[in-house]
Amino acid sequence: MSGWFDETLHQAYRQGLREGRLLYDSETAHQRLRLFENPVFGRVLTLDGVVQVTTGDEFIYHEMMAHTPILAHGAARSVLIVGGGDGGMAREALKHPGVGRVVMVEIDAGVIEFSRKFLPGVSAGAFDDPRLEVVIADGAEYIARQGESFDVILVDSTDPIGPGEVLFTETFYGHAKRRLAPGGVLVTQNGVPFLQPDELRNTMRAFRALFADATCYLATIPTYAGGPMAFGWGTDGQARETAEETLAGRLAASGIEGLRYYSPAVHKAAFALPGYVAALIG
Ligand code: SAM
């Protein structure tokens, strides 16, 4: 063992993480799970050789993906998470007292079982919250069924390789739109535009055909290497226009404290896109 983990997500760019103690390395029915310790990022979970979550920087991704749509919406009662097996997205969504129901549709029960055992701080009790329903299924199949609507849908998936590929299709997005309640917001994990421009371009093409408001917002997660990552944003409502002061009032009313990345000011700024990203979604 070289002592280093080389991420193999990109063709011509690699990131290396020093691999300290190897805690787990096994195949589930869907993907290869590997967990090791790194001096900077703490525990690092990879699926099929791609960094999924680290205990060091997961707060950035989970705060920005969950609180941005929920606070912009302003009256979210139900949230659907597609993927999210580590439990971090459920943890953040469940911080909102107004959210009465979170459904997590995760294809790989092994990720949940594993994360509860080896990454308990990521879910932080979310899996025991009575408001959470976990459904073990392919998110693409679940979303295609007739069923309840959601105020916010968060696609907290792997990259469009392996089981995650179906979650980046026009068909999936069309079904997701049909499962949104009026004024609902769809947010997607959409990769690092500098290194994965086609991923964002393709999603935005589909969103522009589906939603009155189709754009993305950005946040920089150190272990999603290559620059800021994009969160796809699609809605027919006005949620994106919510003023910073209104967001601040909603955050205060929620009683949520101790966030380390999200703030109303960061929320609004995240939608200010640099030219190279704006060109991808235009
Ligand atoms: N934060 C990570 C990122 O941005 O890449 C995502 C983390 S979360 C662990 C990704 C989850 O998506 C995994 O648990 C994986 O099993 C799940 N997943 C992949 N394809 C899926 C599908 N088709 N339906 C439901 N869950 C899926």
Side-chain angles (χ1 to χ4, degrees), residues 30-31 45 47 50-53 61-62 65 81-87 89 105-109 111-112 115 135 137-141 155-159 161-167 172 189-191 224 229 231:
H30 298 276
Q31 48 211 342
L45 169 64
L47 292 178
V50 178
V51 173
Q52 295 299 309
V53 65
Y61 172 83
H62 291 123
M65 192 171 197
I81 298 169
V82 177
D86 52 59
M89 203 59 70
V105 182
E106 165 58 57
I107 198 168
D108 193 338
V111 175
I112 294 176
S115 298
V135 175
D138 181 331
E141 290 171 11
V155 185
D156 178 16
S157 71
T158 46
D159 289 277
I161 47 177
E165 196 164 0
V166 292
L167 305 180
F172 175 77
Q189 183 282 99
N190 244 116
Y224 298 164
M229 79 160 286
F231 297 95

Side-chain angles (χ1 to χ4, degrees), residues 17-18 37-44 54-57 222-223:
L17 291 163
R18 178 172 291 287
E37 288 182 339
N38 172 272
V40 176
F41 293 103
R43 290 193 169 187
V44 180
T54 85
T55 52
D57 67 3
T223 52

Side-chain angles (χ1 to χ4, degrees), residues 69-78 98-100 151-152 182-183 250:
I70 291 174
L71 289 171
H73 182 286
R77 296 286 175 270
S78 57
V99 170
D151 297 310
V152 171
R250 290 173 182 171

Side-chain angles (χ1 to χ4, degrees), residues 10 159 189-197 199 221 224-230:
H10 306 297
D159 289 277
Q189 183 282 99
N190 244 116
V192 172
F194 195 86
L195 296 176
Q196 300 161 289
E199 186 178 310
I221 296 96
Y224 298 164
M229 79 160 286

Side-chain angles (χ1 to χ4, degrees), residues 139-159:
E141 290 171 11
Y142 175 90
I143 207 95
R145 299 175 206 149
Q146 294 300 322
E148 66 187 288
S149 297
F150 297 90
D151 297 310
V152 171
I153 298 178
L154 305 173
V155 185
D156 178 16
S157 71
T158 46
D159 289 277

Side-chain angles (χ1 to χ4, degrees), residues 116-271:
R116 292 189 72 146
K117 181 176 178 188
F118 290 101
L119 296 169
V122 173
S123 53
F127 289 116
D128 301 317
D129 188 312
R131 293 174 290 165
L132 176 66
E133 178 188 356
V134 174
V135 175
I136 301 302
D138 181 331
E141 290 171 11
Y142 175 90
I143 207 95
R145 299 175 206 149
Q146 294 300 322
E148 66 187 288
S149 297
F150 297 90
D151 297 310
V152 171
I153 298 178
L154 305 173
V155 185
D156 178 16
S157 71
T158 46
D159 289 277
I161 47 177
E165 196 164 0
V166 292
L167 305 180
F168 290 82
T169 64
E170 291 183 21
T171 303
F172 175 77
Y173 296 139
H175 289 146
K177 167 152 185 176
R178 276 190 286 283
R179 297 292 289 270
L180 277 176
V185 185
L186 170 63
V187 173
T188 56
Q189 183 282 99
N190 244 116
V192 172
F194 195 86
L195 296 176
Q196 300 161 289
D198 290 342
E199 186 178 310
L200 181 62
R201 187 184 291 118
N202 295 337
T203 296
M204 287 297 107
R205 185 182 305 119
F207 276 28
R208 279 201 309 279
L210 287 167
F211 296 108
D213 182 18
T215 187
C216 69
Y217 61 101
L218 304 177
T220 299
I221 296 96
T223 52
Y224 298 164
M229 79 160 286
F231 297 95
W233 171 278
T235 181
D236 286 337
Q238 310 299 316
R240 184 157 61 102
E241 303 312 314
T242 306
E244 182 178 330
E245 298 69 34
T246 306
L247 295 169
R250 290 173 182 171
L251 180 59
S254 74
I256 296 171
E257 295 181 337
L259 298 179
R260 298 166 56 205
Y261 192 94
Y262 178 91
S263 74
V266 166
H267 172 143
K268 297 297 283 183
F271 284 93

